[in-house]
């Protein structure tokens, strides 16, 4: 595939004509062709008008057609072969093995949502039959099903070009539910975005759905994102990235004449509590797994464990010394782009100026500035220092983490009570620790979306029980997840039909239940 | 019960000490004792601190204890007997029969939510077992359940002092899920609020839960509502009332350092489409039911059908003439308070200045201004006039409605496409009409929360399939309902447990499933 740098607006090729930018290879610093440019207001409007015009065709298509669309996108992605991986590698510096795995996850998601909508239960169909002779008033026939909300604007993440990008969960569950999508391409990997977008457009063509169901517009500045979020036809926004970026979009959406939800996942510090029993049993082993988690993907995961808390003890000393040794052995690696690497170096440099925060260990090998490499950096401090420095409440994106010595469980509880919302928290402990530290679990239940016992938070299982979200600022709305089958609920809303004849009802709430979906019928779950 | 006019802050009696106000009997204009006053910032803070402190006790109480709380509130309400109905009648002028019925609905809701949490399935428990030998990576054990979010601030509606008030759905589902509640009393019926609040406090005491689970603070101005919404411990707000009031709270909540959701139900015009087949068959009969719906509760329902659309025809003429006759026979009745009645008269007076909008019929009997009575007023116009006057897009709260003549289905479709979000829309038609006007149903699916066929929107069935909400400005967030069992989802969020031993898991996601709740286990719904 020859890249053009065009915006792809409902299938129309729109060459960039101003505010030009290029992608760069972060490993070499080389500029990558072709040139891209910021989309104009008119182009954003054209994309959303087309999305709105295509909405009826997409939402009234059969679930089989939409499932076929997802399966066909998966085929088209596969057909891109190594060229896709190579472009993503050039733009993001992620290792080929990682990209191959991530492509597998993205294809898995497409197939997962295809199966979900073929089956139908996801739409929570509910039927209450009439009771015409009920006293004092007859009961009407009332039924409810979830329907799509309309055009969705997607801002993909820099760190997952496939699984949280153009064909990531946001786009996939929007299309699955029947919502057209306008993607704002990520300026760090616009070529990858173009390749993936052409695959989506090819699939729409193959299954006979309008090209308006999908558009890609590029932009390096914030202007185009604001325009897309303000557009009156936009019904929701999905965003994965920084708190600053997510909050800016939330504020724009809240100030609209008709406010819309922004579903933003904005990362967190993901505290890890290493409890005494576990430290006694296996301090070095936990330290090894911890450094593995901190440095996975060069620390560029929103679930990166950026803070560790442990009680002052010999076990904690051993943990710190082991973690420092493991950190030393980690080779510096290229980050997603130069800007992220500079922010990482600047952020950890600020930390080094904080009294009472010590650099305990770091990658021995030198990090190449030219290749935008990040060294692993492990710090130690005490709970007082952690609590009294506001800079330490927010993550520095990259392979760094702070091990914190606490005097008592109360220190841990007080820190936890003062935490902002988190995507995850992790407990390393024995089963006896879990009993002894039960108040800590209770405290975490008020702060986090996922609590991990004896694992690490990086690496997310895509399954029905997954929740990837949490109280603000981890996410914009704590009810919704951005990963797993539950993510589809961001783009639908209930519609209730009262007194309709069988013939005029949506398929999932007809008495006949032709799809055999699980439903609540007269208050009882049944198939 | 002797009313005191006190704020009831976690059981503490706080006498009003400034910004005093009284309730008034809208029928007589008489001032009702005692005096109430606006709560201070310190009192709001005290209520929310107490709510936050009580949160752990409430959420970790067994579902049986919380169900017992709801059942006991129902008993305490019942024990208030006629005194409650009489005070509500004096403050709201709603007929005793209506109040008796509404009290029944409120008690029914308490029992409905008690049963819901005893059973457990509402929390959508989900279990994915580990697959330790999965390739290339082991699958961890991942489980998810819905947990309460924390203190909720409730603003009740003026028009449903029981069912959408201090012990209405908002408070009941918050307490059911484990969220403490701070109610901002409605200044039009503060005495009713005090009686109901004392019933809640008595029930908390009887079941041994902390008084901090519930507080009532009064206020006539907007200041206390803003303070409650801004308070950092508030996790969500529930509001039923005007668009202006709801939007103001939404804006305050969105501007917080940590934004929180405001679940506001803000009414709508609830269009009714009378289709040709139905007009031919039964124009007069539909007109009678329509006037019944417009004037039910003196038109003070958020689902009041404020706009009717029909195609120019003899049937429509007959409908208009019948509706006018039925309107003439409706006796003027006292509205909820003088302010609402004045707004109604002012709103319908503005309508009478609009060229092309005609008063077709109204209550023959004179409306007593002193008794805050509203006459039923039915207007007629054409689609051009309806579409070209922005004032006609928003409801005038009260027993008025506009019958609109359209030339073609296209007129109806264009009007529908231009509608703001609506709680409901209604189709009066034959089954053949439904086939002929299928595009209208498709158009309505994009705009409304509930579509009624051959019924009227007033009167809401409280059942699992009910949805009372819709796209903005009908509601603040279209995913959530404020009536029916689904309303509990506003005050909970998913928490995921990964790798936890059975012993440390919440009851609903233990393998043993002691409550026998419906759950998704390894992707399959099962009990």
């Amino acid at each position: 595939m020859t890249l053009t740098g065009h915006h792809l607006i409902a299938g129309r090729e729109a060459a960039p004509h101003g505010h030009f930018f290029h992608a760069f290879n972060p490993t070499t610093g080389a500029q990558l062709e072709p040139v891209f440019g910021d989309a104009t207001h008119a182009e954003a409007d054209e994309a959303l008008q087309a999305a709105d015009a295509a909405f009826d065709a997409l939402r009234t298509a059969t679930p089989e057609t939409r499932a076929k669309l997802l399966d066909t996108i998966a085929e088209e992605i596969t057909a891109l072969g190594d060229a896709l991986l190579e472009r993503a590698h050039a733009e993001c510096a992620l290792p080929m093995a990682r990209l191959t795995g991530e492509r597998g996850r993205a294809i898995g998601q497409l197939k997962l949502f295809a199966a979900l909508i073929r089956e139908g239960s996801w739409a929570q169909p509910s039927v209450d039959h009439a009771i015409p002779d009920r006293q004092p008033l007859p009961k009407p026939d009332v039924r409810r099903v979830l329907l799509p909300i309309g055009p969705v604007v997607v801002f993909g993440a820099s760190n997952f070009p496939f699984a949280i990008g153009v064909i990531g969960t946001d786009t996939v569950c929007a299309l699955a539910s029947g919502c057209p999508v306008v993607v704002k391409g990520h300026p760090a990997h616009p070529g990858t975005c173009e390749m993936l977008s052409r695959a989506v457009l090819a699939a729409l063509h193959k299954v006979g759905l309008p090209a308006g169901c999908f558009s890609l517009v590029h932009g390096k500045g914030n202007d185009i994102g604001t325009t897309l979020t303000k557009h009156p036809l936009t019904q929701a926004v999905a965003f994965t990235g920084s708190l600053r970026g997510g909050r800016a979009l939330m504020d724009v959406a809240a100030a609209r004449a008709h406010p819309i939800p922004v579903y933003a996942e904005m990362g967190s510090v993901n505290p890890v509590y290493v409890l005494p029993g576990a430290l006694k049993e296996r301090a070095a082993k936990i330290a090894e797994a911890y450094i593995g988690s901190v440095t996975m993907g060069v620390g560029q995961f929103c679930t990166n464990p950026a803070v560790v808390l442990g009680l002052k003890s010999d076990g904690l000393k051993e943990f710190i010394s082991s973690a420092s040794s493991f950190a030393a052995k980690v080779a510096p690696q290229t980050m997603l782009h130069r800007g992220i690497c500079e922010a990482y170096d600047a952020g950890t440099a600020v930390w080094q100026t904080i009294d009472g925060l010590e650099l305990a260990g770091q990658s021995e090998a030198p990090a190449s500035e030219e290749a935008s490499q990040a060294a692993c950096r492990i710090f130690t401090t005490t709970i007082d220092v952690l609590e009294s420095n506001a800079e330490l409440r927010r993550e520095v994106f990259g392979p760094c983490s702070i091990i914190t010595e606490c005097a008592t469980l109360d220190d841990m509880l007080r820190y936890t009570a003062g935490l902002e919302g988190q995507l995850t928290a992790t407990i390393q402990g024995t089963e006896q620790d879990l009993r002894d530290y039960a108040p800590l679990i209770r405290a975490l239940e008020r702060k986090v979306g996922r609590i991990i016992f004896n694992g690490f938070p990086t690496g997310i299982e895509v399954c029905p029980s997954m929740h990837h979200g949490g109280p603000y600022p981890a996410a914009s709305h704590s009810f919704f997840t951005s990963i797993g089958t539950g993510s589809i609920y961001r783009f639908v809303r209930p519609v209730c039909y009262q007194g309709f004849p069988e013939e005029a009802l949506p398929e999932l709430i007809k008495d006949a239940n032709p799809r055999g979906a699980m439903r609540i019928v007269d208050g009882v779950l049944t198939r």
Side-chain angles (χ1 to χ4, degrees), chain A residues 193-410:
Chain A
C193 290
E194 181 179 334
M195 293 178 87
L196 296 168
S197 296
R198 289 188 184 279
V200 175
L201 287 164
L204 282 167
H205 182 72
K206 280 193 181 169
V207 301
L209 284 166
C213 295
F214 181 87
S215 290
L216 168 71
V217 291
H218 293 285
K220 198 175 169 68
N222 295 333
D223 192 44
I224 183 69
T226 304
T227 301
L228 293 167
T229 303
K230 275 186 181 168
H231 197 287
L233 293 173
T234 302
Q235 299 300 317
V237 171
F239 170 90
T240 304
S242 69
L243 173 57
R244 192 169 159 182
R247 179 65 190 254
L249 294 179
M250 287 171 67
D251 290 343
V252 166
R256 287 169 51 121
H258 290 69
I260 55 170
V262 171
Y263 297 109
E265 188 271 88
M266 302 175 284
S268 57
V269 300
N270 304 295
V272 176
Y273 301 78
V274 287
L275 299 184
L279 282 175
K280 205 170 267 180
E281 264 180 15
R282 50 192 164 89
K285 222 171 150 185
I286 299 172
E288 182 175 13
Y290 158 64
I291 295 300
S293 181
V294 168
T295 58
M296 187 184 279
V298 206
Q300 299 167 124
F301 281 10
C302 36
T303 53
N304 204 46
V307 170
V308 176
L309 297 105
L311 294 186
K312 185 173 182 170
S313 60
D314 288 344
L316 187 64
K317 268 189 207 150
E318 187 193 347
F319 175 78
I320 290 170
S321 131
S322 297
S324 304
S325 308
F326 286 116
K329 288 180 221 151
V330 174
Q333 284 189 298
T334 301
M335 293 191 80
L336 288 160
H337 53 82
R338 176 153 291 176
I340 281 189
C341 189
E342 285 168 357
Y344 174 72
D345 284 334
T348 52
V350 167
W351 285 4
Q352 293 187 54
T353 67
I354 295 175
D355 269 355
L357 189 75
E358 310 292 336
L359 182 65
Q362 66 174 327
S363 303
E364 267 170 18
S368 156
E369 199 176 312
E370 185 153 297
S372 297
Q373 286 182 344
C376 172
R377 294 191 183 112
I378 300 300
F379 296 82
T380 55
T381 193
T382 61
I383 187 69
D384 299 342
V385 174
L386 187 70
E387 290 187 312
S388 56
N389 285 278
E391 308 90 301
L392 301 179
R393 289 207 193 146
R394 295 279 162 77
E395 65 178 324
V396 168
F397 200 68
C400 59
S401 189
I402 304 172
I403 305 171
T404 310
E405 186 186 276
C406 299
T408 61
L409 168 60
D410 279 350

Side-chain angles (χ1 to χ4, degrees), chain A residues 333-500:
Chain A
Q333 284 189 298
T334 301
M335 293 191 80
L336 288 160
H337 53 82
R338 176 153 291 176
I340 281 189
C341 189
E342 285 168 357
Y344 174 72
D345 284 334
T348 52
V350 167
W351 285 4
Q352 293 187 54
T353 67
I354 295 175
D355 269 355
L357 189 75
E358 310 292 336
L359 182 65
Q362 66 174 327
S363 303
E364 267 170 18
S368 156
E369 199 176 312
E370 185 153 297
S372 297
Q373 286 182 344
C376 172
R377 294 191 183 112
I378 300 300
F379 296 82
T380 55
T381 193
T382 61
I383 187 69
D384 299 342
V385 174
L386 187 70
E387 290 187 312
S388 56
N389 285 278
E391 308 90 301
L392 301 179
R393 289 207 193 146
R394 295 279 162 77
E395 65 178 324
V396 168
F397 200 68
C400 59
S401 189
I402 304 172
I403 305 171
T404 310
E405 186 186 276
C406 299
T408 61
L409 168 60
D410 279 350
D411 284 344
M412 289 185 178
L413 290 175
R414 193 186 56 248
Y415 171 77
T416 306
L419 271 175
E420 296 190 296
Q422 300 288 321
L423 293 170
T424 75
T426 298
I427 305 284
Q428 288 283 340
T430 60
E431 297 204 6
Q432 187 57 44
D433 283 332
L434 265 189
R435 275 170 227 127
D436 297 343
Y437 288 75
L440 184 58
I441 307 296
R442 298 291 84 74
L444 288 171
E445 284 167 342
R446 296 181 60 166
K447 298 290 179 177
V448 313
R450 179 166 57 114
I451 314 176
I452 297 112
F453 181 63
N454 286 345
F456 279 93
T458 44
I460 294 175
E461 186 65 30
V462 179
C463 64
S465 303
M466 179 46 61
H467 183 68
H468 188 61
Y472 185 92
S476 53
H477 196 307
S478 66
F479 186 80
F480 297 94
T481 180
S482 60
I483 292 181
T485 47
S487 58
I488 198 168
Y489 296 112
R490 297 174 297 169
F491 307 132
V492 293
R493 65 181 181 86
V495 174
C496 181
Y497 296 77
Q498 183 171 324
F500 273 67

Side-chain angles (χ1 to χ4, degrees), chain A residues 20-186:
Chain A
F20 297 111
F21 67 92
H22 280 85
F24 289 86
N25 182 323
T27 310
T28 63
Q31 178 177 291
L32 298 169
E33 292 308 321
V35 68
F36 294 87
D38 284 10
T40 62
H41 286 233
E43 283 160 345
D45 181 58
E46 185 187 343
L48 280 157
Q49 296 283 356
D52 190 64
F55 180 35
D56 276 343
L58 185 61
R59 76 191 181 93
T60 59
T62 62
E64 279 70 24
T65 301
R66 290 201 303 275
K68 186 89 194 302
L69 170 65
L70 303 184
D71 286 339
T72 309
I73 294 173
E75 286 162 19
E76 295 289 327
I77 301 293
T78 307
L80 290 170
D82 288 350
L84 174 67
L85 302 177
E86 283 156 11
R87 178 74 192 194
H89 177 66
E91 289 186 327
C92 306
L94 294 168
M96 291 296 276
R98 146 73 193 268
L99 287 168
T100 305
E102 191 189 327
R103 181 182 59 180
R105 174 173 151 193
I107 286 173
Q109 284 175 173
L110 282 155
K111 290 177 190 292
L112 182 71
F113 280 96
L116 192 79
I117 57 174
R118 282 196 176 98
E119 197 273 337
S121 306
W122 74 271
Q124 302 179 339
S126 175
V127 174
D128 285 280
H129 287 102
I131 308 177
D133 56 358
R134 189 184 63 174
Q135 293 302 327
L137 287 170
K139 179 177 179 183
D141 183 285
V142 182
R143 303 171 188 229
R144 194 200 61 217
V145 69
L146 296 171
L147 296 186
I149 55 171
V152 170
V153 169
V154 171
F155 294 80
S158 64
N159 56 346
F160 280 87
F162 304 147
I164 317 179
V166 168
I167 47 103
T169 316
D170 299 331
T171 296
V172 173
C173 65
L175 292 175
S177 70
C179 294
V181 172
V182 176
V183 171
K184 153 74 170 62
H186 200 290

